[in-house]
Amino acid sequence: MGIEEFGGGQHEKSDVLVVTTNDVPGYRVERVIGEVFGLTVRSRHIGSQIGAGLKSLVGGELKGLTKTLVETRNQAMERLIQQAKARGANAVLMFRFDVTEAADVGTEVCAYGTAVVIAPQA
């Protein structure tokens, strides 16, 4: 698997800046829109579960599960960006992920943050 399969984050040409910080240097917050989130739940694939079980016996990275989690996080982040944009935001501050088990049948990934409108400082 190449490095592109292990990474994530927003696309370079996104209309919405997403940061984990409380502010963006050189910009001021003009308006706070409020919380936005992107949510996805992925079921476990039986093949990856068996492979993960076998791999856990000998140790090492569970590459199939890593790839699935990266894809899931990217999907949740893309949904967050879509929601922020639909509500008129051009940035999301204090971005975070929350990952939980969903009733023992899958993994829930929630990307969340505060949607805002920012503008360059004068």
Side-chain angles (χ1 to χ4, degrees):
M1 289 192 324
I3 191 67
E4 66 280 352
E5 295 178 296
F6 292 107
Q10 69 186 120
H11 300 284
E12 288 180 30
K13 298 181 181 183
S14 179
D15 296 336
V16 178
L17 177 65
V18 179
V19 298
T20 58
T21 55
N22 295 334
D23 53 21
V24 178
Y27 289 81
R28 68 181 184 287
V29 174
E30 290 191 331
R31 184 168 57 109
V32 174
I33 294 171
E35 180 189 11
V36 289
F37 66 90
L39 181 67
T40 186
V41 179
R42 293 280 177 102
S43 64
R44 294 186 181 96
H45 181 277
I46 189 66
S48 67
Q49 288 296 95
I50 293 170
L54 294 173
K55 186 70 171 183
S56 68
L57 295 174
V58 296
E61 181 181 11
L62 306 174
K63 290 184 180 181
L65 292 177
T66 299
K67 183 178 177 182
T68 299
L69 185 55
V70 167
E71 291 169 353
T72 304
R73 288 172 63 121
N74 287 343
Q75 183 179 45
M77 185 173 185
E78 186 57 39
R79 289 178 178 174
L80 164 104
I81 291 168
Q82 290 171 359
Q83 186 185 52
K85 188 175 178 179
R87 293 181 62 192
N90 65 356
V92 175
L93 305 179
M94 299 176 288
F95 170 74
R96 302 287 187 269
F97 281 112
D98 185 40
V99 179
T100 58
E101 293 298 312
D104 292 330
V105 296
T107 302
E108 171 190 315
V109 176
C110 182
Y112 64 96
T114 302
V116 299
V117 174
I118 59 174
Q121 290 178 342

